[in-house]
Amino acid sequence: MKLLRYGEPGAEKPGILDANGQIRDLSAHVGDIGGRWIAPEGLAAIAALPLDSLPIVSGTPRLGPCVTGTGKFICIGLNYSDHAAETGASVPSEPVIFMKATSAIQGPNDPVEIPRGSEKTDWEVELGVVIGKTAKYVSEADALDYVAGYCVINDLSERAFQLEHQGQWTKGKSADTFGPTGPWLVTKDEVPDPQNLDMWLEVNGHRYQNGSTRTMVYGVAFVVAYLSRFMSLRPGDIISTGTPPGVGLGQKPPIYLKAGDTMALGIQGLGEQRQVCVQG
């Protein structure tokens, strides 16, 4: 299933994409795309609904973040060996973990704000993993049982804030609008192998990132199990699993986003995003 949330910010309704690419309204049956509705029982209840009888949503409504109720937005750094090389970093011996503020989460096509004082705002297409049931001390063999589905994330970063100021990466990753998420939450039954998905990103029509989840250092199952050793993962939590090469920082010379630039990005089977940059 391709689950989504549509409508104005703060007033989104739950929806589902049908086989013809039309949005069907779920609000008569589902509270929202999050919490118990993305647990195995909730997803089974949605799957049992007669899709063709659900109301069709007219027009082209704004799409909100594809999941709500996110308590933790966890990111994995330097998780593609070729991306680590382009940034001059070595491949980490364990996953690099940092948090991104949940206030950064926004719809997949909402404008991206260049923060005040920023000169190095950068792009990163990433595979997002949405947790569907509480995971604590889970094994790698069982880890995918705790995943509700997958989505596209643009893990925007301000490199000066991230790397040139004191402290952790979080302040370079957490500006408002720095977490476009969606367009859809694609349930895991439609993604038989999350380690075999092509991904890409363009800025102003030029393709900078053209990679695949095949080159991840630490795969989805390992990451879920690893994180569950240090914290419980709960329904709606998002794990952003790292980016392939081609970020602005890795260009020679580096290239960064400015107001008026347009990003387009996508992952095989998970949909596409498009954002225009504006000055914050």
Side-chain angles (χ1 to χ4, degrees):
M1 296 182 292
K2 294 179 174 66
L3 304 175
L4 55 92
R5 302 173 65 248
Y6 69 95
E8 294 305 306
E12 292 95 345
K13 295 181 178 181
I16 186 170
L17 204 68
D18 69 17
N20 296 317
Q22 296 175 304
I23 297 174
R24 301 275 183 160
D25 181 32
L26 286 172
S27 58
H29 305 275
V30 175
D32 208 341
I33 307 301
R36 68 186 183 91
W37 290 105
I38 58 172
E41 299 81 5
L43 292 177
I46 295 173
L49 293 173
L51 185 59
D52 291 343
S53 69
L54 297 174
I56 295 174
V57 177
S58 61
T60 54
R62 168 192 172 268
L63 296 180
C66 61
V67 65
T68 189
T70 299
K72 293 188 289 295
F73 195 167
I74 309 166
C75 299
I76 310 299
L78 303 173
N79 199 28
Y80 287 70
S81 55
D82 33 13
H83 170 58
E86 75 171 342
T87 62
S90 58
V91 175
S93 58
E94 292 187 44
V96 172
I97 301 171
F98 62 92
M99 295 290 194
K100 196 176 185 85
T102 56
S103 54
I105 297 172
Q106 67 164 12
N109 304 315
D110 293 343
V112 164
E113 294 183 5
I114 306 295
R116 295 180 185 179
S118 167
E119 296 181 351
K120 297 182 179 180
T121 295
D122 203 349
W123 57 83
E124 297 186 17
V125 59
E126 304 202 1
L127 173 66
V129 179
V130 178
I131 298 299
K133 64 178 182 178
T134 299
K136 186 173 183 178
Y137 300 124
V138 304
S139 69
E140 184 175 355
D142 295 335
L144 295 186
D145 293 342
Y146 296 82
V147 172
Y150 303 94
C151 62
V152 182
I153 291 175
N154 191 351
D155 175 24
L156 288 138
S157 312
E158 211 298 333
R159 300 301 187 188
F161 299 174
Q162 176 190 359
L163 302 172
E164 298 171 21
H165 293 231
Q166 294 297 314
Q168 300 178 345
W169 290 2
T170 302
K171 60 180 171 286
K173 295 282 190 170
S174 294
D176 292 351
T177 77
F178 268 26
T181 302
W184 316 311
L185 169 59
V186 182
T187 51
K188 65 183 177 184
D189 58 293
E190 293 197 9
V191 186
D193 184 2
Q195 306 308 146
N196 190 28
L197 301 174
D198 294 332
M199 52 205 308
W200 58 274
L201 183 144
E202 297 176 352
V203 179
N204 299 329
H206 178 83
R207 183 158 296 196
Y208 285 97
Q209 292 189 273
N210 202 24
S212 170
T213 59
R214 290 186 296 274
T215 65
M216 262 189 208
V217 178
Y218 300 105
V220 171
F222 182 92
V223 166
V224 171
Y226 181 83
L227 289 172
S228 78
R229 292 167 48 190
F230 305 104
M231 65 192 84
S232 61
L233 304 174
R234 296 178 177 172
D237 285 352
I238 297 171
I239 305 167
S240 199
T241 56
T243 197
V247 299
L249 175 64
Q251 307 303 309
K252 302 187 186 307
I255 298 172
Y256 296 112
L257 295 165
K258 60 186 183 302
D261 286 346
T262 298
M263 290 175 285
L265 58 149
I267 299 178
Q268 180 183 355
L270 304 185
E272 300 181 4
Q273 300 183 355
R274 184 177 180 85
Q275 300 114 23
V276 176
C277 296
V278 298
Q279 185 59 53

